[in-house]
Structures are given as C-alpha cells and as structure tokens.
Amino acid sequence: MARISDNAGPARKRSKGDGEDDMERVALAADWDDISTGLRKDLGHQLHSQWIKPIQVGDFDAATGTLALYLPSEFAAEWVRKHFADRLSLAWKIARSEIKTVAIEIHPSRKRMADISLGDSRRPANDGPDLRVVSDGGFGDPGFSSVGLDASLTFAAFVTGDANVLARNAAQRMAANDKPQFSPLYIKAATGQGKTHLLHAIGHQFLAAHPRARIFYCSAERFMIEFVQALKQNRMIEFKTRLRGFDLLLVDDLQFIIGKASAQEELLYTIDHLLSEGKRLVFAADRAPQALDSVEPRLLSRLSMGLVADIQPADLELRRSILESKLTRFAPLSVPDDVVDFLARTITRNVRELVGGLNKLIAYAQLTGQPVSLQLAEEQLTDILSANRRRITIDEIQRTVCQFYRIDRSEMSSKRRTRAVVRPRQVAMYLSKVLTPRSYPEIGRKFGGRDHSTVIHAVKLIEDLRTRDADMDGDVRSLLRQLES
C-alpha cells in the first residue's frame, strides 16, 4: 500500500484542523489501496511493481478538485503520465466524486535535488546537502536522483514475532557498527510480509551510525533497466564507478533479476568488489536464491554465501500485535477487541492487506461518523475478507480437536457426558461457529443431531471460559493457529 508522507507536498491552504487532515490522509490511503490492488490485477505484478507501486499520494486541492500523485523521478512521472494517466484519473474519479483532475508529478523534495550529482568532482566541498541515499532514481540521469528512505519504515515500527524474529535480528546486525558476521544478507519473504520494511530500517540505522555513508536502495528490475540505459548511452564506466562507491547496497524484489546475462554479470562483479572492501549488501526476494529464475550459477552462489533469513507468514498473535501497534495512530478512536481479533483471524494472506483493511475500516468509520464494530467490518471489508478466507469445514475442526485432546472422533457425535468428552466437544462447537458460516442448527446436526440451543450454550460457555481460564484460552488459541495455518 502506498504510504502518504507527512511532508508529501506543499502545505495546504485550507482551514482544516490537524484531525481532519489526518482523516483525509487515512481516507486517501484506503482509496489508493483499493485502486492499486485493482491495477495490479489489470497490469500484472511486473508493470505494477515498476510504475504503480512507487506512486505516493499527495495533497488534494478541494478548490480545483486536483489530487497530486508523486513519483521519485521525472522519467518515471513522464512515463506514468504517458501510459497510465487516463486510467489513474478514471479510477480516482470513481473512488471519490470530488476529484476532477489527477496531477502526476515528481515529488517536490526530489525536484529540488534532482540536479545535484553524487560524487561530482566539480562540486565544491560543503556546497549544498550531502546526498547519501539514492533509490530507483536513474543511473541514466546526470548523477543519481535522491529520494531517500521511507521515514516510517524503521526498526522501532517493525512489530516482531516468532515468524520474523530471525530476519529482524539479522537485519539489525547488518546495520550495527560492528562488522557483520555474514554478508550478503538475503531476506526471503512472501509479498507483504515485511522484507521491504527491513531493508529501509537497515538503511535508517546504518545512516544514523555513519552519517556520511553512501547508501543505495533499488529494485532488481530497476537495476536491470538502468544497466541497459547506461549501456545504450555509453556510460558504463560511470555506472560501474558510482555503483561500487556505496557503503551499503540494498536490492529489493530480486526475483525480477531476469534478462540480460551482462546485467547479472555486472551485479556479480559489484557484489565481489563491495565484499572485498568490507561493504555491506542486503537482498530481498519472495523466494530462495536457488528458486530464482534464469539466474547464473555464479550469482546464485554469491547470494547464498552469507545468511538467508526467512520471514514466515505472520501467525495470529503477530497479526494481532501489528493491528494493536497501528491503532496507536488513531487514538482516541476506539476499536473493540472483537474487531481486532476478527481482522487478525480473517485477514491472513499478508501484513500489507491486514493493515490496509484496518485503514479502510477506520477511514469509513471516521468519514461517516459510525462507531467501529464487527458488523461494520464485515460489511465494508467484504472483498478483502472473501479473498483471505480459507474454507474450514466442521469435519476438519472436529478432526483437529480430537487429535488435540486425544479422543476418538466418534465422541463428537456420541451421547457421553463425561468431562473429558464434553469439553472438547464444546470447544469444537465454538470453533465451528467462529471459523465457519454455518448456523447453530447446522452445527448441531454435525454433532450427532444436537439441538441448536446446545450449540449456543457451548459457544457462550467457551467464550466465558476463555476470559477466566488461561489454560482454556491457550488451548483455543493453539487450535486456531493449527486450523488457520
């Protein structure tokens, strides 16, 4: 989801309060999440990742009905204007009727720096800012255009759990003052699980410890494109010299490093050169090095020689923690615990969708004045929820509960009323109501033809026991993790 930076554009001239500004930003972010998702489906992952994903939503001028969309370089802005302006304009007009025009521009802060060349020997010392972080800006432009690192993607903002603790700790080691024990660091994670967040966090922490360090962040696809442009423009010596002058190299979406063997060879030589000088390299991809397509064996060997750190899909506890951390931004807005639990249990595909769903729900509640509730979440997040729901059956629940409590499957339908059998049966009824769309009578029929009132009693009892009995709550949480994995 595109982030809206606090300094994304010129100051507003409207007389809104800070709270209303925040509400508008949240609403625009939620709308952009929907629009971007739709474009990804239409354009495919490669085009979307290259041209749509870098877009930042700027300010909306209510007087003219103009919404600003920012890109990191003039080249990117011109390309998006030429190929996607009509599509973006139509999508925003459908999303918000008050938007009449979409202005696709280079980010104001980037525009001021675009003509400043890194490492230009003709530039006097201490003349202007020292540009240390570059990203996706263009090797083909005069100098590198600087766009910096996303200020919100820091280690402090990264929520850690069992699923990502290895990658987070490895990333912190890479950014520390001491020489890293392993280099390169290779972070493997599915889409939306936090690998890009860690790349930016490494950059921030390394820069804090080494204020004059030179950092380069780009996608592998951008590396390939810029390599080809430098080749065509006969600027390969400049390309190589600048690329090998960085102290920290951060390359994202490495799964797209396909195509020209010469570009892969240049990356290979760059890795060897930086490692020989003790520089730091971090790569991120959605698959292991050995699973990358059309990559030369020598390059695969270099990518695997350091540490490959996985980020596993966020489990229920981590998803809940992430939501709770995000809620601090919306205080004093109240979001009930059952809504947080519902989102954490239901939106399981990736963290980006989880946070996007929360933003959309809160934006709707703020803009309509409705309280955040479970019913509102189910009504407004239909598309996200339906895409994430894995169909869990009552048979699957009964089988899992019986294995957990070590009882025979037939006890789910039996008439026995000993505690060792009744409690697991009640837990299975509770989970059937929580995890499936089945009604009380339908659930009762799957448990030996029991009356719906028996199911209602079981559900209420287990809900109550979870609040009073830590062991019961632990059992239910463990079963939820098994069934949702």
Side-chain angles (χ1 to χ4, degrees):
M1 175 177 172
R3 287 176 171 79
I4 306 175
S5 172
D6 290 338
N7 60 354
R12 290 182 179 83
K13 298 182 180 179
R14 291 167 287 163
S15 58
K16 284 189 173 186
D18 290 342
E20 291 179 89
D21 284 346
D22 291 341
M23 287 172 57
E24 181 178 84
R25 288 176 182 275
V26 170
L28 286 170
D31 288 335
W32 175 241
D33 187 36
D34 289 340
I35 292 170
S36 180
T37 299
L39 288 172
R40 184 168 61 245
K41 293 177 181 177
D42 292 343
L43 302 174
H45 183 81
Q46 187 166 341
L47 276 177
H48 178 274
S49 178
Q50 181 177 344
W51 302 110
I52 304 302
K53 186 178 178 181
I55 293 175
Q56 285 185 302
V57 181
D59 292 328
F60 172 62
D61 188 338
T64 62
T66 301
L67 175 68
L69 300 179
Y70 296 135
L71 282 131
S73 70
E74 183 57 47
F75 172 79
E78 179 60 33
W79 206 95
V80 171
R81 277 194 294 267
K82 181 177 179 181
H83 294 86
F84 299 125
D86 291 342
R87 188 175 298 198
L88 286 167
S89 179
L90 178 60
W92 276 106
K93 287 176 182 178
I94 293 173
R96 309 190 88 185
S97 59
E98 64 269 27
I99 293 178
K100 309 300 181 186
T101 308
V102 171
I104 301 170
E105 307 167 353
I106 183 175
H107 196 290
S109 64
R110 316 323 182 217
K111 191 180 299 182
R112 291 193 296 271
M113 294 188 268
D115 294 330
I116 301 176
S117 174
L118 278 172
D120 191 340
S121 60
R122 294 170 298 175
R123 187 175 127 210
N126 301 321
D127 180 21
D130 175 27
L131 299 183
R132 299 155 298 180
V133 185
V134 298
S135 163
D136 278 2
F139 292 105
D141 296 331
F144 293 101
S145 57
S146 172
V147 300
L149 297 167
D150 190 323
S152 67
L153 301 182
T154 63
F155 283 119
F158 189 84
V159 182
T160 307
D162 292 341
N164 58 26
V165 65
L166 171 64
R168 187 227 167 88
N169 290 345
Q172 286 188 306
R173 287 283 186 90
M174 179 58 69
N177 279 329
D178 298 336
K179 183 178 179 180
Q181 296 174 307
F182 39 77
S183 189
L185 170 62
Y186 188 104
I187 301 175
K188 169 185 167 291
T191 299
Q193 300 293 358
K195 57 184 182 294
T196 298
H197 189 143
L198 286 180
L199 288 185
H200 284 257
I202 291 170
H204 284 302
Q205 185 161 310
F206 187 75
L207 198 57
H210 307 85
R212 296 195 64 80
R214 300 182 69 210
I215 301 174
F216 181 65
Y217 169 83
C218 74
S219 69
E221 188 175 33
R222 171 57 59 185
F223 176 91
M224 306 290 279
I225 292 172
E226 300 296 352
F227 173 85
V228 172
Q229 288 184 350
L231 193 63
K232 290 180 177 178
Q233 295 170 6
N234 198 27
R235 300 179 64 183
M236 284 305 301
I237 294 177
E238 181 181 2
F239 177 93
K240 294 178 180 181
T241 301
R242 289 178 174 173
L243 185 62
R244 297 177 189 182
F246 291 104
D247 302 297
L248 173 62
L249 182 65
L250 306 166
V251 182
D252 203 355
D253 290 326
L254 202 64
Q255 65 269 18
F256 295 121
I257 190 161
I258 56 177
K260 295 185 72 67
S262 54
Q264 292 188 32
E265 188 173 6
E266 182 55 43
L267 180 58
L268 171 67
Y269 291 152
T270 298
I271 292 173
D272 286 344
H273 179 83
L274 293 178
L275 288 178
S276 69
E277 295 195 349
K279 304 296 180 66
R280 307 181 191 214
L281 299 92
V282 186
F283 301 98
D286 66 358
R287 65 200 70 168
Q290 295 76 13
L292 295 172
D293 297 326
S294 305
V295 178
E296 292 188 357
R298 288 184 302 160
L299 181 55
L300 291 180
S301 174
R302 301 304 192 281
L303 296 174
S304 307
M305 66 185 292
L307 173 67
V308 178
D310 287 5
I311 300 179
Q312 299 297 329
D315 58 22
L316 179 61
E317 293 304 316
L318 180 55
R319 294 196 297 271
R320 188 181 286 111
S321 296
I322 290 170
L323 291 174
E324 290 170 350
S325 73
K326 299 299 180 184
L327 286 176
T328 59
R329 297 162 38 202
F330 302 107
L333 179 72
S334 174
V335 177
D337 290 341
D338 64 340
V339 174
V340 174
D341 189 66
F342 172 73
L343 295 178
R345 283 190 292 100
T346 311
I347 305 178
T348 60
R349 290 203 303 186
N350 63 64
V351 172
R352 188 175 296 129
E353 280 190 346
L354 179 67
V355 175
L358 177 67
N359 288 340
K360 183 175 182 179
L361 176 62
I362 289 178
Y364 186 88
Q366 289 178 328
L367 294 171
T368 61
Q370 296 185 50
V372 178
S373 66
L374 191 57
Q375 180 179 351
L376 187 68
E378 291 175 332
E379 291 174 352
Q380 297 304 317
L381 302 180
T382 304
D383 293 342
I384 297 176
L385 297 177
S386 62
N388 279 269
R389 275 197 174 105
R390 182 174 74 85
R391 292 194 177 276
I392 299 173
T393 66
I394 294 178
D395 287 340
E396 184 180 358
I397 292 170
Q398 290 180 345
R399 184 169 59 253
T400 303
V401 170
C402 288
Q403 290 173 350
F404 185 84
Y405 286 106
R406 298 181 180 179
I407 63 174
D408 192 85
R409 175 72 181 280
S410 63
E411 300 292 7
M412 291 289 107
S413 301
S414 75
K415 302 302 181 183
R416 292 183 61 200
R417 299 190 57 80
T418 61
R419 183 182 177 85
V421 171
V422 170
R423 191 67 81 227
R425 187 189 297 145
Q426 291 170 331
V427 169
M429 290 180 182
Y430 168 79
L431 292 172
S432 297
K433 188 57 184 172
V434 169
L435 298 176
T436 77
R438 302 302 180 189
S439 65
Y440 289 116
E442 288 176 313
I443 295 172
R445 285 194 289 272
K446 295 291 289 186
F447 285 82
R450 284 176 165 80
D451 187 76
H452 73 282
S453 61
T454 303
V455 182
I456 293 173
H457 170 73
V459 170
K460 290 183 176 179
L461 177 64
I462 299 303
E463 285 177 344
D464 180 58
L465 283 175
R466 290 191 67 184
T467 63
R468 297 186 290 106
D469 186 335
D471 290 338
M472 174 55 69
D473 186 56
D475 286 354
V476 172
R477 287 177 184 273
S478 179
L479 285 163
L480 284 168
R481 281 194 294 271
Q482 288 185 47
L483 288 163
E484 292 179 333
S485 63

